[in-house]
């Protein structure tokens, strides 16, 4: 079953991603966490940079592991730009338990997309992601939540639950489907193949194919 999704106007719910004012050197970036949130036993998991990043120069990143007095154990990722002989944080996220190395690509219109992927904590270990588009001045957040409201009603009350891992290289995803009687562990409704596109900084669902 193939379902085409009509365009829907949605409100962009963009979160703040501006980081703090600490300005480390590159050498310091590999030795100590940029002090933003993980204030208890923070350690540097990995660091790196992109050459010729959107906006010019290098875009550096630091992945952290540790804990905060407010939220407990978790992970974080901080992205930084060169600012004289030091680095200035420009983006950060601490929602995931662990983050992967960031990556960026050009979309079909040649606009750079920055992809930050991670995994939530707890027993579910669900995928988490943040997506940004470059607008010639800054990284603009893409709303990745609103597409769930575009999922059409399906036969037999089939539903998509949270934790869908989207391939932002191909703008598609594959997810199991749940029936009303299913527990979270055991979906029995087959599979849904999804396709997406970005419009006005919002990820839109454009197609759903159900395979029983």
């Amino acid at each position: 079953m193939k379902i085409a999704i009509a365009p829907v106007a949605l409100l962009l719910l963009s979160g703040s991603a501006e980081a703090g004012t600490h300005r480390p050197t590159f050498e310091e970036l590999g030795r100590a966490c940029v002090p933003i949130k993980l204030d208890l036993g923070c350690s540097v998991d990995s660091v790196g940079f992109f050459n010729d990043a959107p906006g010019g120069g290098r875009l550096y990143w630091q992945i952290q592991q540790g804990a905060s007095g407010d939220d407990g154990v978790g992970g974080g990722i901080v992205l930084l730009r060169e600012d004289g002989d030091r680095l200035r944080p420009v983006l950060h996220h601490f929602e995931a338990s662990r983050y992967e190395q960031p990556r960026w690509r050009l979309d079909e219109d040649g606009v750079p997309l920055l992809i930050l992927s991670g995994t939530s904590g707890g027993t579910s270990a669900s995928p988490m992601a943040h997506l940004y588009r470059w607008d010639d001045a800054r990284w603009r957040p893409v709303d990745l939540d609103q597409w769930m409201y575009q999922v059409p009603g399906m036969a037999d009350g089939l539903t998509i639950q949270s934790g869908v891992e989207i391939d932002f290289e191909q703008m598609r995803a594959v997810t199991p489907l749940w029936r009303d009687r299913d527990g979270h562990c055991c979906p029995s409704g087959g599979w849904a193949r999804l396709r997406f596109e970005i419009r006005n900084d919002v990820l839109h669902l454009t197609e759903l194919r159900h395979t029983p």
Side-chain angles (χ1 to χ4, degrees):
M1 177 178 66
K2 175 181 177 181
I3 303 175
I5 311 300
V8 178
L10 295 171
L11 175 66
L12 173 62
L13 303 176
S14 60
S16 174
E18 291 301 322
T21 58
H22 186 75
R23 297 170 62 246
T25 64
F26 180 68
E27 290 73 17
E28 292 170 341
L29 194 67
R31 294 196 301 263
C33 292
V34 179
I36 297 175
K37 184 175 179 65
L38 302 182
D39 53 357
L40 300 175
C42 185
S43 63
V44 178
D45 187 77
S46 60
V47 298
F49 59 84
F50 301 116
N51 274 318
D52 300 322
R58 291 177 174 178
L59 181 64
Y60 294 80
W61 47 265
Q62 181 189 74
I63 296 176
Q64 304 178 359
Q65 290 296 130
S68 75
D70 295 329
D71 302 326
V73 176
I77 185 168
V78 183
L79 291 102
L80 311 93
R81 286 279 193 187
E82 293 176 332
D83 186 5
D85 60 352
R86 291 186 172 270
L87 305 177
R88 174 176 51 85
V90 293
L91 293 173
H92 67 79
H93 283 285
F94 291 88
E95 292 84 353
S97 175
R98 183 172 294 275
Y99 282 94
E100 301 173 7
Q101 294 184 6
R103 59 195 190 277
W104 72 276
R105 71 170 185 87
L106 299 177
D107 69 10
E108 59 185 13
D109 297 320
V111 177
L113 296 177
L114 177 64
I115 305 164
L116 308 179
S117 300
T119 305
S120 68
T123 56
S124 62
S126 299
M128 299 181 67
H130 308 281
L131 188 65
Y132 290 85
R133 298 178 75 244
W134 183 252
D135 71 353
D136 294 328
R138 65 186 182 94
W139 291 106
R140 294 173 56 89
V142 176
D143 187 336
L144 302 183
D145 297 325
Q146 295 299 311
W147 71 266
M148 288 290 291
Y149 298 106
Q150 295 180 301
V151 176
M154 288 177 279
D156 301 324
L158 297 176
T159 60
I160 295 174
Q161 296 193 12
S162 61
V164 177
E165 186 170 7
I166 299 173
D167 178 356
F168 292 109
E169 306 287 342
Q170 303 294 327
M171 284 297 174
R172 62 188 181 188
V174 178
T175 180
L177 296 173
W178 279 259
R179 304 180 190 276
D180 290 340
R181 65 176 181 271
D182 293 340
H184 183 72
C185 68
C186 310
S188 66
W191 295 85
R193 298 182 182 274
L194 313 174
R195 290 191 176 275
F196 304 90
E197 66 179 30
I198 298 171
R199 297 195 300 270
N200 298 322
D201 294 336
V202 177
L203 186 70
H204 288 260
L205 179 65
T206 59
E207 183 179 293
L208 183 154
R209 289 177 179 266
H210 175 212
T211 302

